[in-house]
Amino acid sequence: MGVLQVNNIKKRFFRKRSLLKKQEVWALKGVSFDVRKEIFGFIGPNGAGKTTTIKIILNFIRPDSGKVSILGKSNREISVKKHIGFLPERPYIYNSITGKEYLDFCADVYGIPYYERKKVFLTLLELVDLIGVEEQPISSYSKGMVQRLLFAATLINDPELLILDEPMSGLDPVGRNIIASAMKDLKRRGKAVFYSSHIIQDVERLSDRVAIIVDGEIKLLDTITNIVQKFLKGYVLTVRKVGSNNIEVFKTTPGDFWPFLEKLRSEGYEIISIEPERLSLEEILVSYIQKKRRAD
């Protein structure tokens, strides 16, 4: 059983067309997936339903049908809240307080005893490389430092499920690497990390599994390895003629691979290497978006 299970959730909204008329819009059309003790990437274009899905998981809004369970319990039960850490895409934070005061506020929410806080705060600040600035007002922090502080705060209750909406937003390469390393460490500790991002390269390098959502529907759900294998463009062959030092490179599609290989051998070519040429995750996402646009 997954840490998070989303079963056939549907959600509609009504868009005002005129003073008297409203248009029914389905934001989610039967979305299902589960998140295990892994890093799970959730990607799609703007308006695809990512944020609506996250809001339903957190019980901020209710679906029209379907259900969500966390650690085997309904997401509507108060008891599951203490097992969740959440980082919204656009959080609000008081700039006049210090980083430590913000962590204290979060610790108060979860009832963490004062005698435990020093050790907890030190661990979290080390994790996001903010040691030495915790007593400074947040107004003096860079955007990346604020994002790292907010990420640290989501871990203050040692959650079993971490839900991150655009966690790399505003981070430079060093900051992205810090958050990426923290996410990997959470997975090693048996936590479930569910996150959405527009930085597809990060999703591809970090995720164990990924779901692509377009127009309120899951179009693809699989491991990164299987997805890359499934979307094979062809092969790159590096060859040379027997007795020659000249290196030549050819490309072929999967369907033409074997006939082309036999042709090269019959013409006296020696095969030096064969490399698969695959679509990137970003190219796969774009292909689904383009299909949707053509259908519209």
Side-chain angles (χ1 to χ4, degrees):
M1 182 181 291
V3 175
L4 167 66
Q5 290 187 305
V6 176
N7 297 306
N8 198 32
I9 58 172
K10 299 179 181 180
K11 182 63 181 177
R12 64 179 174 175
F13 297 99
F14 291 94
R15 183 183 298 157
K16 198 170 184 179
R17 303 297 293 178
S18 67
L19 192 61
L20 298 176
K21 291 184 178 180
K22 292 181 180 179
Q23 179 187 14
E24 183 181 76
V25 178
W26 285 93
L28 299 177
K29 304 171 183 177
V31 169
S32 297
F33 58 85
D34 72 305
V35 179
R36 304 157 195 170
K37 295 177 180 180
E38 62 183 339
I39 299 176
F40 188 102
F42 193 51
I43 63 174
N46 291 333
K50 300 188 299 297
T51 299
T52 300
T53 301
I54 289 173
K55 287 180 178 178
I56 289 174
I57 290 170
L58 293 165
N59 198 33
F60 293 165
I61 59 175
R62 297 285 177 88
D64 290 290
S65 62
K67 63 180 183 178
V68 176
S69 61
I70 297 171
L71 296 171
K73 297 181 180 180
S74 169
N75 67 324
R76 299 181 185 182
E77 291 191 26
I78 297 296
S79 61
V80 303
K81 307 298 182 187
K82 65 182 179 181
H83 300 296
I84 302 172
F86 172 52
L87 177 60
E89 181 181 4
R90 296 183 183 89
Y92 180 81
I93 188 168
Y94 291 106
N95 287 327
S96 58
I97 63 176
T98 67
K100 181 181 178 299
E101 286 170 337
Y102 179 70
L103 293 179
D104 265 321
F105 168 77
C106 295
D108 286 340
V109 171
Y110 287 100
I112 297 173
Y114 282 98
Y115 62 85
E116 291 182 5
R117 295 186 186 189
K118 184 176 180 180
K119 182 179 178 181
V120 171
F121 292 177
L122 180 62
T123 300
L124 294 177
L125 291 167
E126 282 181 336
L127 184 69
V128 297
D129 194 26
L130 289 178
I131 291 289
V133 299
E134 64 272 20
E135 299 289 354
Q136 297 176 17
I138 294 172
S139 59
S140 68
Y141 289 12
S142 67
K143 185 177 180 181
M145 290 168 68
V146 172
Q147 187 72 1
R148 280 148 48 200
L149 175 68
L150 291 166
F151 180 85
T154 66
L155 305 178
I156 206 159
N157 58 320
D158 194 24
E160 296 301 314
L161 171 64
L162 197 62
I163 298 174
L164 309 171
D165 196 356
E166 299 291 341
M168 307 293 191
S169 176
L171 295 176
D172 61 15
V174 174
R176 283 167 58 193
N177 188 59
I178 289 170
I179 299 301
S181 296
M183 290 167 65
K184 290 177 183 177
D185 183 62
L186 287 163
K187 186 187 80 166
R188 281 193 294 268
R189 291 171 50 209
K191 310 295 187 179
V193 181
F194 172 84
Y195 78 110
S196 70
S197 178
H198 283 110
I199 306 173
I200 308 302
Q201 295 90 339
D202 286 337
V203 176
E204 192 163 7
R205 72 187 175 98
L206 285 174
S207 303
D208 298 293
R209 290 190 300 147
V210 65
I212 294 177
I213 183 171
V214 178
D215 195 29
E217 297 178 298
I218 300 294
K219 299 296 185 181
L220 184 65
L221 171 57
D222 210 334
T223 65
I224 289 291
T225 302
N226 287 346
I227 289 171
V228 169
Q229 290 290 346
K230 199 178 294 183
F231 288 85
L232 183 67
K233 285 200 292 188
Y235 296 91
V236 178
L237 296 91
T238 304
V239 302
R240 69 181 165 207
K241 276 210 167 183
V242 176
S244 170
N245 291 324
N246 294 329
I247 302 295
E248 298 181 63
V249 177
F250 297 99
K251 290 186 179 182
T252 181
T253 63
D256 294 333
F257 173 71
W258 289 110
F260 187 70
L261 188 62
E262 288 303 316
K263 179 175 179 292
L264 289 173
R265 284 173 173 163
S266 68
E267 293 178 357
Y269 281 94
E270 174 190 3
I271 308 301
I272 298 173
S273 67
I274 300 173
E275 296 291 336
E277 187 178 20
R278 303 181 177 96
L279 288 175
S280 68
L281 189 59
E282 186 168 7
E283 289 173 315
I284 294 167
L285 173 60
V286 169
S287 72
Y288 279 111
I289 296 170
Q290 290 173 338
K291 283 180 188 176
K292 194 262 179 187
R293 287 175 179 169
R294 286 195 294 268
D296 290 344

